[in-house]
Amino acid sequence: MSNDPNNVTKNPGVGFRNYLSVLFIVIMLSTGLLVAWLGYNMAVRTTTGAANKVVDSITSVVLSETQNTVRWPVRGLLSVAAQNSVGETDTLEKRLAAMPEFYERLKLYPIMDSIYVGYTDGDFFMVRLVESRTLKDFFNAPENASVMARSIVKGKAEHLYFDSNLKLLLRRPENVDNYDPRKRDWYMSAILSEKQITIPPYLFFTIKEPGATFARKTANGKAVIAVDVVLSELSNMLNSKRPTPNTHIALFQPDGTLVAASDSMIADRGQISGARVRTTDDLAPIIQQGLQEYMKGMRGRSINLSDGQREWEISLEDIRHNGDLEDFIVMAIPKEEVLAEATQFLHQSIYIIIGILVLSIPIVWLIARRVARPLKELAAKVQRIMEFKFDDDRQITSNIAEIALLSNGIDRMQNNIREFLDINHTINSERKFDLLLEKLIRETIDVAEADGGLVALFAEDKTAFEDGKLCWINEKKEATIKSVLEFVPPDSNSSLHKALRQNIVTESCAIREDEVDMLESGFDNPAVKRVDVVSVPLYDRMKEKLGVLALFKTIKPGEASFRPEQLSFIGALGSMAAIALDNHSLLNAQRELRDAMIHIIAGAIDAKSHYTGGHCERVPELFRLLLEAACDSEANGFKDFKLDEDDWEEAKLAGWLHDCGKLVTPEYVVDKATKLETIYDRIHEIRTRFEVLKRDAVIESLRTLIAGGEAEAEKEKLKNTLNELDDDFAFVAKANAGGEFMKDEDLARLTAIGKRTWMRTLDKKLGVSREELLRQENAADEILPVREQVLMDRPEQVIARDPHDIIPEDNLWQVKLPTPKDLYNRGELYNLSVRRGTLTEEERYIINEHSIRTMMMLSELPWPKHLRMVADIAASHHEKMDGTGYPRCLTGDKLGIPARMLAIADIFEALTASDRPYKPGKTVKEALKIMEDFKEQGHIDPAIYQLFAQSGVPKKYADKYLKPEQNDL
């Protein structure tokens, strides 16, 4: 299909809106009038008076059932029993005469739980069924017992169990438990009334179900007879009388106390443990509203209420006996259920309307089908475009002009989006700049239907190109790609240059015939008369010109140059290309800045100490050589070890930053050449003390001679003393150098030398820093002069560790390096007593702590995903395969191959370094021998060491970095 939108005018048709609007307006208008007329007539005929009749009928049934189920049986029983002689009996045998009647009543009315009599003298008689398993277990009744009687006569209590024929099965004495019926609410209320009384619902102790008690005083006034009624049976009755599924019915006492309710609001018998007396709070909100209206005086009538979701018909009716209000009922029925018949009639009417519409559907369907089919196909196509699926290349046609135009626009939109996404993915997935330029120009040529093109980037002065690619596509679709710098001279008169220097998307500009050769197009087709060029300026985020994107098109007779829509599309492609180039430039600049900062940090670490200068530069190089050897190796364990570009970047950064924690390590600890050295070597203080001791010896000798001492003897004595002092100082000075291992006898002599004393006459607190004064504030006051040892461990020489410098055991970095109690201990004897080397335990920790600081510093950086292992690799270069390394005591299986390689590189560099204060650099063979021992001891990875030793890496490194005398391979 042609991309020219004007082509749609050749496709005649009526407007889409007019085509369907008139038809559907007529249909919908006719249908609406019919539905309104039918609905109005049906509503008038069916709704009048329906609700009140239904509610009145249902209310009458519920009132009748309530009377028949509860009130009449209970009232009849109490009336008869009140006249019966059971109220006048005084022995159990006489009271048992009433059992048959009580038993029949209990069997006839399951709602009754028990019947009992309380006497004025405290006697009590009760009859209840024990047929259920729960009651048999509760009362420990015989298996074939059907009824039981509980009797209290003259304080003697017992239970009697009978079978269904009232034959006595068991008679068992029971504990009275101080039970006195005269103190019960039912007795006290009934004995003072001449009428039947009702106790509000409560939880029956025996069956753990809610119930109510009805009681009445006997005719002679000597007893009260009562009946316990189980309310769950009453609730079940109310449930059974609901006229509709959503009807709510509740029975209340005159004071508003809930007696029973439908909707299973009262617990079942089988749920004794979960039973409780329900209140009005348990009822449906609409019943609560009805109760409130009743208590306000709205009685004996039906009212309409709403709960916010539906309309309800509410019935409020009294239950009276001899004019007295005994109970009242609140019933709520949803109006839509009351009017079910009316609704059914309405539905029938709707069916008639639907039938009419069905008859018209074929006509409308036949007409709309032809119109809607292309719309449906276009909607599906748009949906796939929204899902970024561009595989639907069907051409959708229609006789309606708007649909044809829409189809054409959707096709063009799909193609443009697909091409944009393809180009965007292609150029943004390329990380190498040269390949990015090539892909960019080739993709643009293809999309713009051009024969060639170039992308050129300006130098900083914007007067000449500094980089770029030219591409020509021949008839076989093969590309010839060359550098822009090879064929675009700085010719300001060239029409090509004029086109390239435009700041907007230019229209096609014909290149002179003499310039075609300059482009090296290789055209030998005489039909080609000219080459047109379109240039697009490329701008970065700062609106500065990055360069230019240009497209070339060979023009033959009768052919057109770039179309207007192609120029717009090329302009949009140029903006996207500029963003890609700018992003790539920014990423490169950021990467270069990052690498420069890392090199600065590494250089700063080396510059802190001239003894370790170059370490942070040499280890990454050695690490790189070892990684290359592993990638090239076919040995077991390394066949699958390959590093991509991201892995190499990660390894390079880890190598350069492995000692970045040394930035916070004091240089006087790193460079500590003697045991007493801090910022200066304190051996000079001790030398001065020995000088004082020698002066004191001379003075003492002169005093002896002045006092008349024998000259020769005194001279010999002074000579011996001075020689001894010189010898002792020489021993101290040798110990300070730390070149040899200190034996036990050496430590003993050092302690003995330290006990020599000298006289200090000046206050040691004068001229010292504020921090040192604070460390001496607990020292005892001195009376000068004071005699001191020549070697001392003074309290103020111990510098405590700040609490925030203590790394907790559950630290974020899983560091397990034990932390010494003190930050520094500068005691003279303490430092001189170091057996090997020059570092104390505290200083050794500070040296080792650099790996912890490396972990902390690097883990805080926002590394991109492909560099997130930099901190782990860099901080693990002092870990050992057997887990005895630091800072995390990781074993070899928890260390990656790069981390284990970095450890070997660090060890080899340290062994061969010739700029350390405490040792000369080892030769290559000596270093490899030591590392061989490390391998045997489980300190380094055997396979990686074997690769290192046999790959030629030590030789390559030695040739570049070691002194000739060290390179003994």
Side-chain angles (χ1 to χ4, degrees):
M1 177 184 292
S2 172
N3 289 331
D4 188 355
N6 295 324
N7 288 343
V8 298
T9 59
K10 301 176 182 178
N11 191 3
V14 298
F16 176 73
R17 290 181 300 174
N18 297 332
Y19 194 84
L20 289 182
S21 296
V22 175
L23 176 62
F24 281 100
I25 286 175
V26 172
I27 294 176
M28 295 303 298
L29 183 60
S30 301
T31 304
L33 291 175
L34 180 61
V35 170
W37 182 79
L38 290 175
Y40 174 80
N41 283 277
M42 286 188 292
V44 170
R45 291 198 305 267
T46 58
T47 58
T48 304
N52 291 335
K53 293 180 181 179
V54 172
V55 171
D56 292 343
S57 173
I58 295 171
T59 303
S60 299
V61 172
V62 173
L63 289 173
S64 175
E65 286 294 330
T66 303
Q67 293 281 19
N68 294 337
T69 305
V70 181
R71 288 298 179 182
W72 291 347
V74 171
R75 189 182 298 113
L77 170 64
L78 295 180
S79 297
V80 172
Q83 305 297 326
N84 196 293
S85 60
V86 69
E88 301 177 352
T89 58
D90 56 359
T91 64
L92 175 61
E93 287 71 19
K94 295 178 180 179
R95 294 167 184 167
L96 289 175
M99 273 201 65
E101 181 180 353
F102 288 174
Y103 179 51
E104 289 301 322
R105 293 275 183 170
L106 292 173
K107 289 178 64 67
L108 183 62
Y109 300 105
I111 195 171
M112 297 182 185
D113 179 67
S114 60
I115 305 171
Y116 46 91
V117 184
Y119 297 88
T120 55
D121 59 357
D123 282 4
F124 179 75
F125 180 70
M126 180 186 73
V127 177
R128 71 177 306 135
L129 300 180
V130 289
E131 294 175 339
S132 70
R133 170 50 55 191
T134 301
L135 292 176
K136 288 182 187 294
D137 294 341
F138 184 85
F139 290 107
N140 196 20
E143 190 64 31
N144 56 343
S146 294
V147 62
M148 67 165 284
R150 184 185 182 192
S151 171
I152 301 177
V153 180
K154 307 304 182 186
K156 178 182 178 182
E158 58 183 334
H159 283 178
L160 296 89
Y161 301 95
F162 302 86
D163 61 12
S164 60
N165 297 319
L166 298 184
K167 177 182 178 181
L168 181 65
L169 300 176
L170 178 65
R171 188 169 186 170
R172 182 169 59 221
E174 298 292 337
N175 187 6
V176 175
D177 293 332
N178 297 321
Y179 181 80
D180 189 342
R182 295 169 297 181
K183 297 180 180 180
R184 299 293 175 171
D185 290 344
W186 56 270
Y187 184 93
M188 291 187 292
S189 297
I191 202 69
L192 299 177
S193 176
E194 298 301 325
K195 298 180 179 181
Q196 174 181 307
I197 61 95
T198 303
I199 301 300
Y202 61 96
L203 196 66
F204 288 168
F205 172 77
T206 305
I207 61 175
K208 297 296 186 297
E209 286 191 28
T213 299
F214 299 85
R216 183 171 181 174
K217 182 172 62 177
T218 59
N220 60 7
K222 295 182 179 180
V224 171
I225 183 165
V227 178
D228 282 346
V229 174
V230 180
L231 297 181
S232 61
E233 297 292 339
L234 184 56
S235 295
N236 292 337
M237 182 276 293
L238 295 179
N239 262 332
S240 67
K241 299 304 177 184
R242 290 186 299 164
T244 68
N246 294 308
T247 296
H248 301 303
I249 308 175
L251 179 66
F252 298 91
Q253 291 184 347
D255 62 356
T257 302
L258 176 65
V259 176
S262 62
D263 298 326
S264 303
M265 291 185 182
I266 307 300
D268 297 334
R269 277 184 190 273
Q271 300 174 336
I272 292 178
S273 62
R276 63 181 178 86
V277 176
R278 302 302 172 102
T279 66
T280 55
D281 292 336
D282 298 317
L283 299 177
I286 192 63
I287 292 294
Q288 298 181 28
Q289 292 185 47
L291 175 61
Q292 294 174 3
E293 295 297 325
Y294 180 89
M295 302 307 290
K296 292 178 183 178
M298 303 290 291
R299 304 176 181 180
R301 55 183 296 183
S302 296
I303 60 175
N304 295 322
L305 292 177
S306 172
D307 61 0
Q309 297 181 348
R310 60 171 67 176
E311 297 291 328
W312 297 79
E313 190 77 18
I314 309 298
S315 176
L316 309 172
E317 295 292 341
D318 295 338
I319 300 178
R320 296 181 178 273
H321 178 67
N322 294 332
D324 296 330
L325 178 64
E326 291 185 335
D327 294 310
F328 65 89
I329 287 177
V330 177
M331 180 169 62
I333 308 176
K335 272 195 172 183
E336 66 268 22
E337 296 181 1
V338 172
L339 301 176
E341 291 184 4
T343 303
Q344 183 179 5
F345 181 73
L346 181 60
H347 289 168
Q348 292 175 349
S349 300
I350 293 174
Y351 295 151
I352 294 174
I353 297 172
I354 294 174
I356 296 173
L357 291 176
V358 168
L359 294 176
S360 64
I361 285 177
I363 300 173
V364 176
W365 181 79
L366 290 174
I367 297 173
R369 179 183 180 185
R370 184 176 182 85
V371 178
R373 182 173 57 189
L375 286 177
K376 183 178 180 181
E377 293 175 350
L378 288 175
K381 194 167 188 176
V382 170
Q383 180 64 34
R384 295 190 66 78
I385 294 174
M386 292 172 58
E387 297 171 355
F388 287 86
K389 298 176 181 178
F390 307 104
D391 54 351
D392 189 353
D393 293 324
R394 293 176 300 160
Q395 293 184 348
I396 300 172
T397 60
S398 174
N399 293 327
I400 300 174
E402 290 84 353
I403 297 179
L405 182 61
L406 178 63
S407 175
N408 187 29
I410 290 175
D411 288 340
R412 293 172 61 188
M413 177 183 68
Q414 173 179 276
N415 292 334
N416 290 343
I417 294 176
R418 176 168 54 195
E419 290 166 352
F420 260 95
L421 292 177
D422 289 344
I423 295 176
N424 184 65
H425 174 73
T426 299
I427 64 179
N428 283 290
S429 62
E430 182 55 59
R431 301 176 64 178
K432 294 183 178 180
F433 192 67
D434 285 345
L435 294 179
L436 171 64
L437 293 178
E438 292 182 13
K439 287 186 176 181
L440 176 60
I441 189 60
R442 291 185 63 174
E443 293 291 336
T444 307
I445 290 172
D446 183 59
V447 171
E449 301 177 357
D451 298 301
L454 68 81
V455 57
L457 303 181
F458 283 124
E460 289 189 9
D461 58 7
K462 309 301 181 184
T463 61
F465 298 126
E466 68 173 359
D467 199 358
K469 296 290 182 182
L470 171 85
C471 179
W472 280 106
I473 306 297
N474 60 27
E475 295 179 354
K476 297 180 180 180
K477 300 300 180 182
E478 296 175 351
T480 301
I481 298 176
K482 293 188 178 183
S483 172
V484 169
L485 302 179
E486 296 180 15
F487 63 88
V488 182
D491 182 4
S492 59
N493 295 322
S494 169
S495 56
L496 173 63
H497 280 75
K498 290 179 181 179
L500 297 183
R501 287 198 174 96
Q502 297 295 323
N503 290 326
I504 58 174
V505 178
T506 66
E507 295 184 1
S508 57
C509 174
I511 301 177
R512 300 195 311 263
E513 293 182 6
D514 60 344
E515 293 179 310
V516 173
D517 292 337
M518 180 185 70
L519 293 176
E520 300 185 5
S521 59
F523 291 130
D524 54 3
N525 188 344
V528 176
K529 296 301 181 182
R530 77 176 195 269
V531 177
D532 283 3
V533 60
V534 173
S535 67
V536 181
L538 305 178
Y539 294 96
D540 62 13
R541 289 173 174 81
M542 305 304 294
K543 304 301 181 183
E544 293 187 5
K545 199 170 182 181
L546 286 173
V548 66
L549 172 67
L551 296 174
F552 305 107
K553 188 167 187 178
T554 59
I555 307 299
K556 299 177 182 179
E559 288 186 350
S561 185
F562 295 102
R563 297 188 300 272
E565 67 270 17
Q566 287 180 322
L567 292 176
S568 299
F569 190 50
I570 292 169
L573 287 175
S575 299
M576 184 178 66
I579 293 173
L581 292 172
D582 194 28
N583 286 342
H584 202 283
S585 177
L586 289 174
L587 288 174
N588 282 341
Q590 289 178 351
R591 190 176 293 110
E592 291 172 1
L593 177 62
R594 179 201 64 198
D595 291 346
M597 293 297 295
I598 290 172
H599 291 174
I600 289 174
I601 292 172
I605 296 170
D606 286 342
K608 284 183 64 176
S609 169
H610 65 276
Y611 294 119
T612 58
H615 172 76
C616 290
E617 179 183 353
R618 294 192 293 265
V619 169
E621 179 66 15
L622 191 56
F623 184 35
R624 181 187 63 81
L625 294 173
L626 184 52
L627 286 170
E628 289 177 349
C631 291
D632 296 336
S633 176
E634 293 296 325
N636 291 336
F638 299 105
K639 288 183 179 180
D640 299 326
F641 181 78
K642 303 297 177 185
L643 299 181
D644 58 22
E645 187 175 350
D646 291 339
D647 296 330
W648 276 111
E649 184 179 10
E650 184 177 68
K652 180 185 72 172
L653 296 179
W656 276 99
L657 292 171
H658 79 285
D659 269 350
C660 67
K662 286 183 178 178
L663 280 173
V664 297
T665 304
E667 63 271 14
Y668 58 83
V669 176
V670 177
D671 295 347
K672 189 177 182 186
T674 65
K675 297 180 181 179
L676 292 174
E677 184 178 12
T678 52
I679 297 178
Y680 73 102
D681 196 338
R682 293 176 294 157
I683 192 66
H684 304 301
E685 292 185 18
I686 296 173
R687 180 185 293 107
T688 301
R689 294 174 198 164
F690 273 90
E691 292 287 0
V692 171
L693 289 175
K694 291 175 72 175
R695 298 299 184 274
D696 287 347
V698 172
I699 293 171
E700 183 63 29
S701 178
L702 292 174
R703 286 176 178 171
T704 302
L705 290 175
I706 292 172
E710 200 277 317
E712 289 299 327
E714 191 58 34
K715 182 179 179 180
E716 185 63 27
K717 178 181 178 183
L718 175 60
K719 179 182 178 182
N720 293 336
T721 299
L722 295 178
N723 288 337
E724 184 178 351
L725 288 171
D726 288 341
D727 186 56
D728 285 349
F729 176 74
F731 179 78
V732 172
K734 182 179 179 181
N736 184 45
E740 298 181 2
F741 179 77
M742 294 287 288
K743 303 176 183 177
D744 290 340
E745 53 267 29
D746 296 331
L747 297 180
R749 182 180 177 188
L750 199 61
T751 302
I753 293 173
K755 291 181 180 180
R756 286 183 178 274
T757 60
W758 67 291
M759 187 67 69
R760 178 170 58 83
T761 62
L762 299 175
D763 189 348
K764 66 179 180 180
K765 295 183 180 180
L766 294 177
V768 299
S769 68
R770 181 174 176 273
E771 290 186 1
E772 188 168 349
L773 282 175
L774 291 175
R775 294 199 295 270
Q776 296 186 47
E777 63 181 355
N778 295 325
D781 294 335
E782 297 178 334
I783 300 176
L784 297 173
V786 62
R787 186 163 291 279
E788 290 184 340
Q789 292 183 190
V790 70
L791 298 176
M792 293 185 65
D793 289 337
R794 297 192 300 273
E796 63 267 21
Q797 292 175 324
V798 177
I799 300 176
R801 184 178 296 277
D802 195 282
H804 79 269
D805 286 334
I806 300 176
I807 300 177
E809 292 185 4
D810 57 344
N811 62 86
L812 176 67
W813 308 277
Q814 300 179 345
V815 170
K816 299 179 182 178
L817 188 64
T819 306
K821 173 179 174 293
D822 298 317
L823 181 61
Y824 292 108
N825 187 336
R826 293 172 178 165
E828 295 161 350
L829 272 175
Y830 180 79
N831 278 262
L832 289 169
S833 298
V834 172
R835 288 184 179 269
R836 187 186 299 275
T838 62
L839 298 177
T840 64
E841 177 189 356
E842 293 78 11
E843 292 164 339
R844 177 64 62 185
Y845 175 80
I846 290 174
I847 293 293
N848 293 343
E849 190 185 23
H850 80 275
S851 61
I852 301 175
R853 297 300 173 184
T854 296
M855 172 66 74
M856 292 179 176
M857 293 165 64
L858 296 183
S859 62
E860 291 295 324
L861 295 178
W863 296 105
K865 184 177 181 180
H866 70 284
L867 299 178
R868 289 181 183 171
M869 291 301 294
V870 168
D872 273 340
I873 297 172
S876 300
H877 65 280
H878 285 297
E879 299 288 359
K880 299 179 181 179
M881 296 293 290
D882 59 3
T884 60
Y886 62 88
R888 294 182 291 175
C889 301
L890 298 177
T891 54
D893 59 323
K894 296 180 181 178
L895 293 169
I897 292 178
R900 286 176 266 166
M901 289 183 175
L902 182 59
I904 287 179
D906 188 70
I907 292 172
F908 185 79
E909 193 285 330
L911 290 172
T912 57
S914 57
D915 50 11
R916 303 299 170 93
Y918 45 83
K919 67 170 187 62
K922 304 290 186 184
T923 67
V924 174
K925 288 184 178 180
E926 289 173 339
L928 292 177
K929 178 62 175 68
I930 294 173
M931 294 178 71
E932 184 78 27
D933 294 338
F934 287 169
K935 180 193 74 172
E936 298 300 327
Q937 295 166 9
H939 292 175
I940 59 177
D941 187 292
I944 295 177
Y945 170 74
Q946 202 69 24
L947 173 69
F948 174 75
Q950 297 177 359
S951 63
V953 171
K955 180 69 167 63
K956 294 179 183 178
Y957 176 79
D959 291 341
K960 185 175 181 180
Y961 291 102
L962 299 186
K963 296 178 180 179
E965 59 268 24
Q966 290 180 267
N967 191 357
D968 56 353
L969 289 179

